[in-house]
Amino acid sequence: MATAVSIVSLLYLYCSNFTEKDKIIFVLLLLTGMFSARSKFYGFFIISVALLIFTSHSSKIKINFKTITLLSITALLVIAFTYKKINLYFLGGGDFVRYDEKIQDTIARAALYFYSTDVFIDFFPFGSGFASYATYASGIYYSDIYNIYGLDNIYGLTKGDAAFISDTYYPALAQFGIVGVILFFTFWGNLGIQTLKKYRISPKDALLALMIIIFFLIECTSDSTITHNRGLFMMMLLGLILSDLKRAQNNYQTKVTINKSHG
């Protein structure tokens, strides 16, 4: 539900005229996703609304006291609404024996995060290879790595019943090692920087591109959406938006060139 709401909301904003009314409708559409009770959606909602507020009366993004304050408040709100999952996946890892049945599906994710550091270290710098860790194929053919690190005894990661083995994405980067992690975040980081540079030319498209980038970075914490059909739709939308940004930039440069020639 949360992903469907995100897709519909972003698609609406993309097709809109980006008026204040359109922004309000976008937020209201997003708001329905709160019923999903997904922590990652809470984070996406807070960041999206903060971006709209921050850019509503500005033709360019500035780094000043106001910006830093807004970013700090946004970060605190995100942490407040997602702390339970953050604590489970990143802070309280390692205690995979004493757990309640109500959270047994999330324990698999925490374990994959916890032991991914060992995989990074033991298979430095290029990782353990394809279909070896935290992916669907690694569960079907059952990688030896799960036996090596004792993951084969954790609910959802056992041989023949690996239902939660691909329920997250970041741990899967252990297959490609530190080199893979650097390339992954370099790709998204460069995309974000290039988008920010074009914000003044086309605020709506730049803002939408940033939201989709943030969507993927959040989704990767506890889902493999980036490799699913849901992720495919978002990637297609991102491609359309980036194409629009490039066209807007070309038109802007053409106008600047013409003005200079007439000046």
Side-chain angles (χ1 to χ4, degrees):
M1 175 186 175
T3 304
V5 169
S6 301
I7 290 173
V8 171
S9 302
L10 290 169
L11 191 58
Y12 170 81
L13 195 60
Y14 174 68
C15 297
S16 73
N17 294 318
F18 206 55
T19 62
E20 292 302 315
K21 180 182 177 181
D22 291 327
K23 293 177 184 178
I24 292 172
I25 293 174
F26 168 73
V27 172
L28 291 176
L29 286 172
L30 266 186
L31 198 60
T32 60
M34 301 296 277
F35 292 105
S36 68
R38 296 282 184 177
S39 297
K40 58 187 177 183
F41 181 83
Y42 296 160
F44 178 68
F45 176 81
I46 293 168
I47 293 173
S48 296
V49 173
L51 282 173
L52 279 177
I53 294 172
F54 173 63
T55 59
S56 59
H57 301 292
S58 177
S59 60
K60 60 181 179 178
I61 296 177
K62 301 177 181 178
I63 301 300
N64 49 33
F65 179 76
K66 181 181 177 181
T67 305
I68 295 173
T69 301
L70 180 61
L71 289 174
S72 299
I73 293 173
T74 302
L76 288 173
L77 285 172
V78 171
I79 292 173
F81 279 91
T82 62
Y83 178 76
K84 185 177 179 180
K85 291 295 178 68
I86 291 174
N87 179 61
L88 181 61
Y89 295 155
F90 305 108
L91 304 178
D95 188 12
F96 307 120
V97 178
R98 301 185 300 276
Y99 61 84
D100 193 285
E101 290 184 359
K102 293 180 180 178
I103 61 168
Q104 58 187 6
D105 59 327
T106 59
I107 287 298
R109 292 173 181 164
L112 288 170
Y113 270 107
F114 184 79
Y115 287 103
S116 65
T117 56
D118 292 331
V119 178
F120 277 118
I121 294 170
D122 295 341
F123 295 90
F124 182 86
F126 296 110
S128 54
F130 289 115
S132 62
Y133 192 76
T135 58
Y136 178 76
S138 71
I140 295 296
Y141 301 101
Y142 211 72
S143 172
D144 291 337
I145 285 182
Y146 300 121
N147 297 318
I148 294 172
Y149 296 107
L151 288 161
D152 54 332
N153 294 317
I154 295 176
Y155 180 83
L157 302 179
T158 58
K159 189 173 184 179
D161 185 21
F164 304 123
I165 212 159
S166 58
D167 248 14
T168 183
Y169 185 76
Y170 287 132
L173 293 175
Q175 297 179 130
F176 313 106
I178 298 300
V179 173
V181 171
I182 293 172
L183 290 174
F184 179 83
F185 286 104
T186 297
F187 169 78
W188 288 109
N190 182 64
L191 209 58
I193 291 171
Q194 294 303 316
T195 299
L196 285 172
K197 288 180 178 179
K198 298 170 185 175
Y199 175 79
R200 186 166 59 90
I201 300 171
S202 182
K204 183 184 83 169
D205 292 326
L207 193 61
L208 280 166
L210 284 175
M211 287 180 180
I212 293 177
I213 292 170
I214 291 168
F215 169 83
F216 276 119
L217 293 177
I218 292 175
E219 279 288 311
C220 285
T221 60
S222 56
D223 204 334
S224 51
T225 301
I226 195 171
T227 61
H228 287 186
N229 56 346
R230 306 184 304 276
L232 174 62
F233 185 92
M234 278 294 203
M235 281 292 191
M236 291 172 64
L237 182 57
L238 179 60
L240 287 172
I241 293 168
L242 293 177
S243 177
D244 291 343
L245 270 175
K246 186 175 181 180
R247 189 181 302 110
Q249 184 182 33
N250 291 338
N251 292 337
Y252 175 78
Q253 290 175 343
T254 301
K255 289 179 181 179
V256 170
T257 302
I258 292 173
N259 290 335
K260 285 183 178 179
S261 62
H262 288 290

